[in-house]
Amino acid sequence: MNSSDTINEKDVGADYIIEQGWEQEIPIEKVHFINNGVDLEMFEYNLQNYQIQDNDLEDTKTFKIIYIGSLRRANSQIFSLFEAIELMQGEEYRDYRFLIYGKGDIKEDLENICKEKNISNVRFKGFIEKKYIPYVLSKCN
C-alpha cells in the first residue's frame, strides 16, 4: 500500500457505525479504528530474513499443525484444540505434529492434559518473537 492508498481510519470506523445504524447512540467523534491486520511487506521481509532452526519444523515426514499465541485463559479456545488433538491419537495420526508456540498461565494445564491423556504428538515450543512467525507459519501444513 502506498501513501495514496492510505485508509482514513476515522472514516472506516464512522462508516461502520453508520452502516449499523448506531450513530444516534455512539458519537462519531468518539470512534477510533485500530487496525488488526497484517503488513504483507513486513511479513515477506521477516519470512526471508528471520528464520529459526527447529527440527520439528524441518521434518518433511510430518504433517504440522501450528498454534501461535498466548496460552492464557482469555484464549480458552485452545482447550477445544486439545479436544481435537485427543481425537487424533493412534496409528493413523502418527505422522501428525501439533506445534504450540507461546507462553502463559495455562501452559502447564495443557502439558498436564497431554500427560494425563497420553497425548504424544504435541510439542510445546515456547515463546518466539513476532519476527519469526512468518517463517514458522511457512513450515506448517
Side-chain angles (χ1 to χ4, degrees), residues 11 20 50 61 65 121 123:
D11 290 345
Q20 298 303 312
Y50 297 104
K61 295 177 184 163
I65 301 164
N121 58 352
R123 307 287 186 271

Side-chain angles (χ1 to χ4, degrees), residues 60-73:
T60 59
K61 295 177 184 163
T62 61
F63 187 89
K64 292 170 281 303
I65 301 164
I66 296 176
Y67 172 88
I68 300 177
S70 294
L71 302 176
R72 303 198 178 284
R73 300 252 178 251

Side-chain angles (χ1 to χ4, degrees), residues 4 15 26 32 39 43 47 49 53 64 67 74 78 91 99 106 118 121-122 136 140-141:
S4 65
D15 289 347
I26 301 172
H32 299 278
D39 180 331
F43 186 95
L47 176 61
N49 293 287
Q53 295 300 312
K64 292 170 281 303
Y67 172 88
I78 195 166
E91 187 62 26
L99 307 178
I106 64 169
N118 201 27
N121 58 352
V122 172
V136 169
C140 74
N141 297 99

Side-chain angles (χ1 to χ4, degrees), residues 19-139:
E19 286 171 15
Q20 298 303 312
W22 298 336
E23 66 272 16
Q24 297 302 315
E25 295 86 26
I26 301 172
I28 297 301
E29 65 274 3
K30 291 187 176 185
V31 174
H32 299 278
F33 175 79
I34 301 172
N35 186 354
N36 195 20
V38 174
D39 180 331
L40 294 176
E41 288 177 16
M42 181 63 73
F43 186 95
E44 187 61 34
Y45 176 84
N46 288 344
L47 176 61
Q48 300 302 318
N49 293 287
Y50 297 104
Q51 301 174 1
I52 59 175
Q53 295 300 312
D54 184 318
N55 291 337
D56 286 320
L57 289 176
E58 302 307 323
D59 186 353
T60 59
K61 295 177 184 163
T62 61
F63 187 89
K64 292 170 281 303
I65 301 164
I66 296 176
Y67 172 88
I68 300 177
S70 294
L71 302 176
R72 303 198 178 284
R73 300 252 178 251
N75 295 5
S76 62
Q77 76 278 4
I78 195 166
F79 287 106
S80 298
L81 172 63
F82 274 75
E83 289 174 13
I85 291 171
E86 184 180 358
L87 297 173
M88 297 178 70
Q89 299 305 299
E91 187 62 26
E92 68 270 31
Y93 299 109
R94 74 176 184 278
D95 295 330
Y96 283 68
R97 293 289 176 278
F98 293 88
L99 307 178
I100 310 298
Y101 289 86
K103 66 178 182 176
D105 59 352
I106 64 169
K107 181 180 180 222
E108 187 175 327
D109 296 341
L110 298 172
E111 291 171 328
N112 287 335
I113 288 170
C114 290
K115 288 176 190 169
E116 292 167 8
K117 303 200 181 246
N118 201 27
I119 296 173
S120 60
N121 58 352
V122 172
R123 307 287 186 271
F124 289 92
K125 306 308 251 170
F127 173 82
I128 58 170
E129 293 179 55
K130 288 183 180 181
K131 65 185 179 184
Y132 296 110
I133 291 175
Y135 179 75
V136 169
L137 292 177
S138 76
K139 296 296 186 173

